[in-house]
Amino acid sequence: MIYGVCDKTGKCDSYFGFFKNEKDAEHEVEIQSNRLKEDLGMMDIEIKNDRALFEGKLVVVIHQYILR
């Protein structure tokens, strides 16, 4: 399984990166949430393990993919 950290701030999904370990993906959620705070002024971002919310709207999330 791989974990993709997805940017949900725009109209189309884009990915910050893909990770083998869930903990690495969760760390990337924190990094990208902090970037959104600094770059876009989204100071009230709520970070959970696999997602970040801004005013109740999903802005960063981890998607799980199974490779065959």
Side-chain angles (χ1 to χ4, degrees):
M1 183 169 312
I2 62 168
Y3 302 89
V5 179
C6 181
D7 177 2
K8 304 291 277 183
T9 58
K11 294 182 181 181
C12 296
D13 293 352
S14 61
Y15 286 85
F16 294 114
F18 294 90
F19 303 88
K20 289 181 181 180
N21 300 314
E22 188 173 16
K23 291 292 179 195
D24 292 338
E26 289 172 358
H27 181 68
E28 186 68 15
V29 168
E30 290 181 32
I31 290 170
Q32 294 304 327
S33 297
N34 289 332
R35 184 191 61 80
L36 290 173
K37 287 179 183 180
E38 293 173 7
D39 294 349
L40 301 178
M42 295 180 172
M43 300 308 290
D44 296 328
I45 288 181
E46 178 185 356
I47 301 172
K48 298 193 176 183
N49 287 344
D50 68 336
R51 63 192 60 222
L53 304 166
F54 178 69
E55 297 178 350
K57 182 180 179 232
L58 190 63
V59 290
V60 179
V61 66
I62 297 173
H63 292 159
Q64 298 179 4
Y65 295 99
I66 297 174
L67 299 178
R68 297 178 190 242

